[in-house]
Amino acid sequence: MSVDVYLNFNGNTREAVEFYAEVFGLEVPKMMTFGEIPPNPEYALPEAAKDMIMHTRLTISGSNVMFSDVFPGMPFVVGNNITLAYVTESEEEIRSVFDRLKEGGSVNMELQETFWSKCYGMLTDRFGVQWQFNAGMGGW
């Protein structure tokens, strides 16, 4: 069983997925656009939606993270209700990923030792996604 995360973006999913693939050393996955899905005669596909991403997925450290653009005209709120937790025993990995994701974003809490982690921090990346980082959590 797994818990997967689905992130929606406002027309920049392709850019976000390519960035995350680079940060985590992954291949850029196949991306299905709205223009590739079978047409529905009851709902004409707006021209602006044809190249937008309907679905794609990355597997980051064994967890599936799925992505999609919101359909034109649908409401969009930057993902302040979503936090992704990057957990590993490697403090070196935490520092590397943290430093890359903070580029163009904002740090909410610098990496530091806490009572539950030898290296913990929080940031919001340039796409508005909030991240937590935990190294060496032991029994937590």
Side-chain angles (χ1 to χ4, degrees), residues 74-137:
M74 305 250 336
F76 175 77
V77 177
V78 173
N80 63 359
N81 62 332
I82 299 171
T83 301
L84 300 179
Y86 186 67
V87 180
T88 179
E89 291 297 315
S90 172
E91 190 172 333
E92 182 178 68
E93 282 180 41
I94 292 282
R95 293 191 183 285
S96 173
V97 172
F98 187 92
D99 288 343
R100 305 250 348 252
L101 285 175
K102 75 179 183 183
E103 293 175 14
S106 61
V107 174
N108 305 91
M109 181 179 181
E110 288 290 347
L111 291 174
Q112 58 194 269
E113 187 169 345
T114 64
F115 71 88
W116 70 86
S117 174
K118 66 182 179 180
C119 185
Y120 177 83
M122 297 184 301
L123 62 78
T124 302
D125 71 21
R126 69 183 187 194
F127 298 102
V129 176
Q130 296 180 50
W131 293 83
Q132 294 182 54
F133 299 84
N134 280 297
M137 289 181 57

